[in-house]
């Protein structure tokens, strides 16, 4: 009987906390199956195949095929249909692999839950939860199953996905609820898929997977919308414009040919079709998806997991990043270095990390130091265990630091917890900046708290002296002390206690002392900040920590000078009271924000966005979700981040490291650059074909009408077979170097800006003009029509090859780009040549295309002409580089 008593007393909270044994859990898992809802099926290959035909470009091709058949041009018609099918097959393969890759990446970010198994806390995969499991939840967690609360601490949950109620519902383990109460009223339950916005909870799993309330309606939930990314929309609009321009050009061309006479109607219709098909950049959507998908994979290799494909490009457009301090810019390993007691005595603490080795030096009264350490152990939600020869900690690292301190003092954490049974607690929520615990020690009940010095001073009226007697509080001295510690870069927490009957009695407390901890900056963070700066990306640190600490860390990172002003949450509130302009004027130039409440992050983000910035913001807590949703790019921390933060984010940084964000930005810029290269290539070659026809028609006004320079099937061949491979291969271009040195592009910048326009006009004119010159010349020296076309086509294929290589960089000389950096392109270019030369020799194809072999001598001459394009483009790149250098000066 006696021992039974002892056992009950040892169990810390008032509730039972044994949980399941691992054997029972495995058994239940076998019976109930994994806790996972069936995923909405990915679209199958067949569906994706048919989707390929939903494009205006394809409609044009279909019409072209129909007209060809009507005119009895069987070969053209069959060719177009073959190309249509090939296009769809390639598109399907690409999309299948892209959706598979995206699904695989999503799986990399797994959800876990904290449960009690075999009497000890354990983190398990959400899928391993079974009915009967005892789960522990904290604010920011996504509820992993349906749960009956056994213990709750100021719990509130966002159940909007189930009930439609947007306000958070408060929950209480003690609430009495009728069995048939509607979901929204079941106060003692938490439901799978909802989000804990506040508090701490323990509860028993009542249902998993399809048995949960969410599972019951899962079939009725609408499948996630796969909305088209803005970049895609922008590009589609752009291609419509291009298509319209092409239409006008072709009408003009037909009019010219009619006027000059000498062309038959059927030939002109076929030419118009061929020209439309070949100048419209139908390869663009495919190249775009490829570019984004490659970017996604490359980012994953840099610890950046993309949740929405478009975030690949969006990340590259960021002009401003608001970053957390703790864990992102710092290593997130807090170690207590100094303790300062109210009587003025100081202690220095040595030792690293969570291992309790290390010493405490000082000349003060160690009894008072013990009081402080015990408060730190009790107002604590973390664990520190010695298992397998190593110290293993879990929970908030601030809390862990206090357990380590107690260990260094030789205190037994389990003895303290057993001696002082916990009656109630104040969980740490970042908007409060403190946490506490109500414990019974013998006949007295104590309230222990720790938190930010400002908060603690505000509720203390006394402080403890060397003998342990409370004396009047010397707030000014303490204030001076913690500010001085803050200026040295320490994160400072204060501790206090009082006798009390409830956890609400947070006033009239006795101050116990200050604790200073270090959280070293990440070694790579300083460099990453500098790289951002070089690339014209502003970085700001937004933290809940004290301004002095924030400034010291920011100065170390090079974010601000050692005496630069720091904007605090209080400053922002005061400025906002004066009006939005005053707030903007305060926020926009600032680079260090301290004592910011989570809600104020959103204000900072929106102010910067209104100021014209493209803002990326990092977040980890449940309160960061609004800011992340409002920003252009929401970045969640994979390790530290709560479920909510991860689900709101556009992308997740798996190592929480600021440097990874910067790597991601670089990859995003590479993707956008590649998209530009592909566009420039496609438009330039389309333009050159148009020009060739125009010049031919124009020549008819000055002399006898010339025959068409290419027939319809030849145009199709050139566009889809000879050039098609190279377009897509260009999307694989790797980093050129210097991507981060360029200014970020204006978010509103159109795709067709100065450089691309110049490039298209120049290279298109050279290709079209030279091809016409060749055509005119060979006709002039009496070479027959068909043979002349044959040579022109070879000329155009060669131009395509050279131009694909030229397009590898907008600015850098081709000779300076490592040749094999893009193996796809290096294979695609000769392959295009080989396919074309093979077509000249193969019986059926050469008949359809009306081709014949080209002699080596002719081929070399044509290659000579094509290399003029290389020279011209190199010259253009040179002027662009010179212009850039001038602009930089
Ligand atoms: P950061 O922006 O560096 O992540 P936080 O929002 O985590 O800052 O913390 C803000 C303040 O809250 C800290 O400066 C500290 O005073 C207090 N604080 C942080 N963690 C705890 C904790 N576990 N218990 C009590 N107070 C804490
Ligand atoms: Mg924090």
């Amino acid at each position: 009987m006696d021992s039974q008593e002892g056992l009950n007393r040892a169990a810390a909270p008032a509730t039972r906390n044994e949980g399941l044994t691992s054997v029972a859990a495995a058994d239940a898992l076998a019976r109930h199956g994994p806790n996972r809802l069936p995923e909405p099926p990915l679209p199958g290959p067949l569906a994706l195949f048919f989707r390929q035909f939903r494009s205006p470009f394809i409609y044009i091709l279909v019409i072209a095929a129909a007209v060809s058949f009507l005119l009895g041009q069987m070969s053209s018609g069959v060719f177009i249909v073959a190309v249509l099918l090939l296009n769809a097959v390639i598109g399907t393969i690409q999309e299948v692999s892209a959706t598979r890759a995206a699904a695989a990446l999503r799986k990399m970010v797994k959800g876990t839950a904290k449960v009690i198994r075999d009497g000890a806390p354990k983190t398990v995969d959400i899928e391993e939860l079974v009915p009967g499991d005892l789960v522990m939840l904290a604010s920011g967690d996504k509820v992993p199953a349906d749960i009956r609360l056994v213990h709750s601490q100021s719990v509130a949950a966002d159940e909007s996905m189930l009930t439609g109620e947007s306000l958070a519902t408060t929950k209480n383990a003690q609430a009495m609820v009728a069995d048939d109460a509607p979901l929204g009223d079941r106060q003692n339950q938490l439901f799978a898929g909802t989000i804990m916005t506040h508090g701490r909870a323990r509860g028993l799993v009542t249902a998993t997977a399809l048995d949960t309330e969410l599972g019951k309606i899962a079939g009725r939930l609408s499948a996630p919308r796969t909305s088209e990314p803005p970049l895609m929309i922008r590009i589609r609009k752009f291609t419509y414009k291009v298509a319209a321009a092409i239409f006008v050009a072709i009408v003009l061309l037909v009019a010219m040919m009619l006027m000059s006479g000498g062309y038959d109607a059927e030939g002109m219709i076929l030419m118009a079709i061929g020209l439309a098909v070949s100048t419209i950049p139908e390869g663009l959507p495919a190249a775009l998806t490829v570019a984004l998908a490659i970017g996604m994979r490359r980012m994953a290799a840099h610890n950046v997991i993309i949740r929405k494909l478009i975030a690949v490009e969006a990340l590259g457009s960021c002009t401003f990043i608001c970053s957390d301090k703790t864990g992102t810019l710092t290593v997130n390993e807090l170690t207590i270095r100094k303790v300062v007691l109210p009587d003025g005595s100081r202690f220095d603490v040595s030792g690293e990390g969570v291992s309790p080795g290390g010493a405490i030096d000082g000349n003060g009264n160690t009894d008072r130091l013990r009081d402080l350490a015990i408060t730190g152990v009790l107002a604590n939600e973390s664990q520190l265990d010695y298992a397998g020869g190593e110290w293993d900690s879990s929970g908030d690292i601030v809390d862990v630091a206090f357990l380590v301190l107690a260990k260094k003092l030789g205190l037994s954490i389990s003895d303290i917890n057993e001696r002082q049974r916990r009656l109630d607690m104040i969980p740490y929520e970042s908007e409060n900046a403190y946490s506490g615990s109500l414990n019974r020690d013998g006949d007295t009940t104590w309230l222990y708290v720790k938190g930010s010095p400002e908060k603690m001073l505000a509720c203390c009226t006394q402080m403890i002296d060397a003998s342990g007697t409370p004396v009047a509080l010397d707030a000014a001295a303490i204030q001076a002390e913690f500010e001085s510690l803050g200026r040295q870069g320490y994160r400072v927490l204060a501790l206090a206690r009082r006798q009390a009957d409830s956890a609400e009695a947070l006033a009239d407390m006795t101050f116990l002392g200050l604790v200073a901890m270090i959280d070293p900056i990440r070694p790579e963070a300083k460099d990453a900040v500098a790289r951002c700066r070089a690339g014209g990306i502003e970085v700001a640190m937004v933290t809940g920590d004290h301004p002095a600490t924030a400034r010291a860390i920011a100065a170390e990172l090079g974010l601000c000078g050692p005496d630069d002003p720091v904007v605090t949450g209080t400053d922002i509130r005061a400025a906002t009271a004066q009006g939005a302009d005053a707030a903007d004027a305060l926020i926009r130039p600032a680079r260090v924000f301290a004592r910011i409440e989570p809600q104020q992050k959103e204000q900072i983000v929106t102010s910067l966005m209104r100021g014209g910035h493209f803002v990326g913001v990092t977040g980890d807590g449940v309160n960061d979700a609004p800011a992340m949703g409002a920003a252009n790019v929401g970045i969640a921390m994979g390790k530290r981040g709560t479920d909510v933060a991860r689900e709101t984010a556009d992308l997740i940084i798996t190592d929480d490291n600021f440097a990874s964000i910067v790597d991601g930005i670089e990859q995003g810029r590479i993707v956008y650059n590649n998209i530009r290269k592909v566009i420039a290539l496609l438009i330039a070659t389309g333009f050159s074909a148009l020009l060739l026809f125009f010049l031919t028609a124009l020549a008819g006004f000055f002399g006898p009408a010339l025959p068409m320079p290419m027939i319809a099937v030849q145009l199709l061949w050139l566009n889809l077979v000879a050039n098609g491979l190279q377009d897509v291969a260009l999307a694989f271009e790797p980093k050129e170097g210097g991507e981060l040195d360029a200014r970020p592009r204006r978010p509103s910048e159109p795709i067709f800006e100065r450089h691309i326009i110049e490039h298209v006009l120049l290279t298109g004119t050279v290709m079209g003009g030279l091809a016409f010159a060749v055509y005119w010349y060979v006709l002039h020296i009496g070479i027959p029509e068909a043979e002349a076309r044959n040579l022109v086509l070879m000329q155009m294929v060669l131009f395509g090859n050279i131009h694909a290589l030229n397009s590898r960089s907008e600015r850098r000389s081709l000779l300076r780009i490592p040749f094999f950096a893009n193996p796809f392109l290096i294979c695609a270019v000769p392959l295009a040549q080989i396919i074309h030369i093979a077509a000249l020799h193969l019986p059926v194809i050469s008949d359809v295309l009306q081709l014949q072999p080209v002699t080596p001598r002719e081929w070399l001459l044509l290659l000579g002409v094509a290399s003029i394009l290389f020279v011209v483009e190199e010259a253009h790149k040179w002027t662009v580089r010179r212009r850039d250098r001038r602009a930089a000066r």
Side-chain angles (χ1 to χ4, degrees):
M1 195 63 210
D2 246 310
S3 66
Q4 188 65 35
E5 278 287 336
L7 266 181
N8 278 343
R9 266 176 58 102
T15 49
R16 304 182 317 138
N17 68 346
E18 296 90 43
L20 294 178
T21 62
S22 43
V23 178
D27 185 46
L29 190 62
R31 264 182 296 127
H32 293 273
N35 177 32
R36 149 181 82 202
L37 291 181
E39 289 220 354
L42 294 174
L46 208 62
L48 287 176
F49 179 76
F50 285 113
R51 207 187 275 174
Q52 304 301 318
F53 292 92
R54 275 187 307 195
S55 142
F57 304 145
I58 302 299
Y59 303 154
I60 294 179
L61 282 176
V62 171
I63 293 171
V67 173
S68 307
F69 283 124
L70 279 178
L71 292 175
Q73 291 277 336
M74 298 311 279
S75 54
S76 284
V78 169
F79 185 83
I80 298 178
V81 170
V83 162
L84 263 174
L85 292 178
L86 190 71
N87 212 37
V89 168
I90 294 175
T92 310
I93 294 173
Q94 270 162 3
E95 275 201 44
V96 167
S97 84
T99 39
R100 294 238 170 100
L105 281 182
R106 268 200 299 278
K107 288 226 174 73
M108 279 177 65
V109 200
K110 271 210 175 134
T112 56
K114 258 193 138 181
V115 295
I116 308 271
R117 291 263 172 96
D118 304 315
K122 196 180 164 199
T123 305
V124 299
D125 200 314
I126 283 181
E127 295 191 358
E128 290 169 28
L129 282 186
V130 292
D133 254 328
L134 187 61
V135 187
M136 293 178 285
L137 292 167
S139 44
D141 286 347
K142 185 165 166 180
V143 180
D146 282 2
I147 285 163
R148 167 73 171 85
L149 291 173
V150 291
H151 178 77
S152 66
Q153 195 71 55
S154 12
V155 173
D158 173 359
E159 301 188 325
S160 52
M161 53 294 287
L162 271 187
T163 61
E165 168 62 53
S166 58
L167 285 180
T169 329
T170 53
K171 299 282 178 177
N172 188 344
Q174 261 71 50
M176 302 296 287
V177 176
D179 282 346
D180 56 352
L183 287 189
D185 294 341
R186 299 205 202 154
Q187 273 199 37
N188 56 9
Q189 274 179 284
L190 286 171
F191 299 102
T194 64
I195 281 162
M196 279 253 307
T197 54
H198 214 273
R200 302 287 184 275
R202 256 165 203 259
L204 291 168
V205 172
T206 54
T208 58
L210 281 171
D211 300 330
T212 61
E213 296 298 330
L214 181 72
K216 287 181 199 158
I217 61 163
R220 279 184 278 135
L221 283 178
S222 52
R225 266 179 299 123
T226 45
S227 63
E228 201 172 15
L231 174 73
M232 297 288 210
I233 296 171
R234 208 161 78 182
I235 293 214
R236 167 117 50 72
K237 283 194 185 135
F238 160 76
T239 39
Y240 283 154
K241 277 188 204 143
V242 171
I246 288 169
F247 180 75
V248 171
I250 290 175
V251 168
L252 207 71
L253 186 62
V254 171
M256 278 168 70
M257 288 182 162
L258 282 177
M259 268 155 49
S260 74
Y263 299 95
D264 67 311
E266 193 182 311
M268 273 193 309
I269 294 176
L270 286 173
M271 175 216 65
I273 290 171
L275 215 45
V277 170
S278 68
T279 46
I280 289 175
E282 59 276 72
L284 192 52
L288 211 70
T289 323
V290 170
L292 289 172
I294 297 164
M296 181 169 87
R297 259 172 248 173
R298 288 191 186 149
M299 283 186 177
H302 285 93
N303 300 315
V304 180
I305 305 290
I306 297 294
R307 293 193 63 239
K308 300 170 189 158
L309 193 56
I310 196 53
V312 171
E313 186 266 340
L315 187 59
S317 318
C318 282
T319 63
F320 205 113
I321 300 177
C322 296
S323 173
D324 280 342
K325 171 174 72 74
T326 309
T328 308
L329 293 166
T330 66
V331 291
N332 209 27
E333 273 175 24
L334 285 166
T335 313
I336 294 178
R337 281 274 169 261
K338 287 178 194 295
V339 180
V340 182
L341 300 182
D343 60 21
S345 53
R346 308 161 165 274
F347 299 87
D348 288 315
V349 187
S350 62
E352 295 305 324
V354 295
S355 71
I360 300 185
D361 293 330
N363 49 8
N365 185 331
T366 41
D367 285 345
R368 299 293 82 74
L369 185 58
R370 273 162 190 271
D371 285 348
L372 176 138
I374 288 171
T375 300
V377 168
L378 290 170
N380 201 305
E381 296 180 70
S382 69
Q383 277 102 32
L384 183 65
D385 301 307
Y386 193 71
E390 246 181 74
W391 287 93
D392 184 32
S393 67
S394 67
D396 191 312
I397 50 156
V398 170
D399 288 4
V400 173
F402 279 97
L403 297 186
V404 174
L405 178 73
K407 282 271 174 214
K408 285 179 181 165
L409 273 173
L411 298 172
S412 158
I413 293 164
S414 50
D415 282 357
I416 298 174
N417 278 318
E418 262 164 53
R419 196 184 138 85
Q420 303 210 28
R421 196 156 68 88
R422 177 176 283 172
L423 305 175
D424 201 355
M425 67 177 293
I426 309 169
Y428 172 72
E429 303 281 356
S430 56
E431 70 254 37
N432 294 341
Y434 60 82
S435 71
S437 179
L438 188 73
N439 297 61
R440 179 179 294 280
D441 181 11
D443 296 333
T444 23
T445 315
W446 290 93
L447 176 60
Y448 299 102
V449 283
K450 69 178 196 319
S452 77
E454 299 99 307
K455 281 268 161 68
M456 292 301 97
L457 281 183
C459 44
C460 285
T461 47
Q462 316 162 53
M463 59 188 198
I464 211 143
D465 76 356
S467 67
T469 344
V471 296
L473 184 78
D474 185 357
I478 295 169
Q479 176 94 23
E481 184 65 52
F482 85 70
E483 287 199 355
S484 130
L485 288 168
R487 276 194 295 277
Q488 298 165 51
Y490 290 109
R491 160 174 279 209
V492 189
L493 264 78
L495 298 99
R497 69 172 187 202
R498 68 166 287 190
Q499 287 188 17
D501 292 330
S502 104
E504 258 102 82
L506 213 62
D508 215 5
M509 306 201 63
T510 304
F511 189 83
L512 296 178
L514 295 169
V515 156
M517 13 188 138
I518 51 152
D519 182 12
I521 68 167
R522 283 183 181 268
E524 59 278 46
K526 185 169 180 179
D527 184 43
V529 168
R531 279 165 71 205
C532 281
R533 285 278 174 86
I537 304 165
E538 297 291 332
V539 183
M541 182 167 101
V542 182
T543 173
D545 217 330
H546 189 270
T549 312
R551 185 195 286 119
I553 304 257
E556 200 181 335
L557 284 166
L559 275 176
C560 73
D563 301 310
D564 282 355
V566 172
V567 170
T568 65
T570 324
D571 298 341
I572 292 183
R573 203 167 302 118
T576 311
Q578 287 172 29
D581 288 344
D584 287 343
L586 180 73
I587 290 172
R588 289 183 190 162
R591 294 296 174 265
V592 187
F593 298 89
R595 286 290 188 239
I596 294 294
E597 289 167 19
Q599 304 86 292
Q600 292 179 317
K601 256 194 182 179
E602 187 182 356
Q603 191 184 353
I604 295 173
V605 165
T606 48
S607 166
L608 291 169
M609 283 168 67
R610 271 184 284 111
H613 275 295
F614 199 86
V615 182
V617 63
T618 68
D620 52 6
V622 54
N623 298 306
D624 292 335
M628 287 164 60
N632 299 98
V633 186
I635 305 165
M637 296 301 140
K639 281 192 188 162
R640 228 166 358 101
T642 55
D643 299 341
V644 187
R646 271 183 274 162
E647 297 209 348
T648 323
D650 300 301
L651 44 97
I652 298 167
I653 305 296
T654 53
D655 62 352
D656 292 11
N657 189 344
F658 182 76
S660 300
I661 303 178
V662 183
D663 289 340
I665 293 181
E666 183 173 41
Q667 291 299 331
R669 290 188 176 188
I670 295 171
V671 167
Y672 186 74
N673 288 348
N674 285 351
I675 292 174
R676 277 173 60 107
K677 290 173 194 172
V678 174
I679 290 178
L681 174 67
L682 288 172
I683 304 290
T685 42
F687 178 66
S688 68
L690 268 178
L691 189 68
L692 171 62
F693 276 80
F694 259 104
L695 292 175
T696 309
L698 204 63
F701 288 95
F702 301 101
L706 297 182
M708 300 227 190
M710 278 191 258
I711 58 168
V713 270
Q714 291 174 342
L715 273 167
L716 294 175
W717 172 263
L718 172 67
N719 181 235
L720 298 161
V721 183
N723 287 345
L725 274 175
Q726 303 174 146
D727 306 341
V728 175
L730 195 57
F732 284 86
E733 264 319 300
K735 164 179 173 165
E736 275 187 46
E739 277 84 1
L740 273 183
D741 300 334
R743 309 244 100 216
R745 122 193 99 73
R746 268 181 299 118
S748 60
E749 180 190 284
I751 292 171
F752 232 49
E753 47 64 78
R754 177 174 176 185
H755 184 274
I756 291 203
I757 295 175
E758 258 178 31
H759 172 89
V760 164
L761 288 181
L762 184 70
T763 58
T765 307
V766 169
M767 288 190 279
L770 285 177
F772 174 73
V774 167
Y775 184 55
W776 185 87
Y777 176 74
V778 293
L779 283 177
H780 187 74
I781 60 172
I783 288 181
E785 213 178 292
E787 223 171 291
R789 286 203 187 106
N790 192 44
L791 292 173
V792 166
L793 186 58
M794 179 50 103
Q795 181 71 73
M796 291 299 272
V797 172
L798 283 167
F799 273 143
N801 295 152
I802 300 262
H803 199 40
L805 293 172
N806 278 343
S807 302
R808 294 185 63 191
S809 173
E810 287 183 4
R811 287 176 167 71
R812 283 205 308 165
S813 163
L814 178 59
L815 303 175
R816 288 180 176 273
I817 303 173
F819 192 67
F820 289 107
N822 180 355
F824 294 96
L825 191 71
I826 294 313
C827 293
V829 169
L831 195 62
Q833 254 312 308
I834 291 168
I835 290 178
H836 186 65
I837 292 177
L840 304 183
H841 293 274
L842 287 176
V844 184
I845 299 184
S846 63
D847 288 348
V848 172
L849 293 173
Q850 300 185 14
L851 297 178
Q852 61 207 64
V854 174
T855 66
R857 190 174 154 271
E858 286 168 336
W859 188 81
L860 279 175
L861 280 174
L862 295 177
L863 182 63
V865 174
S867 56
I868 298 177
L869 177 67
F870 169 73
V871 176
V872 170
E873 178 63 8
E874 286 292 323
H876 179 223
K877 286 179 183 175
W878 182 77
T879 54
V880 170
R881 285 197 301 270
R882 208 177 53 162
R883 197 163 69 204
D884 284 354
R885 272 200 302 275
R886 286 229 183 100
R889 257 185 246 137

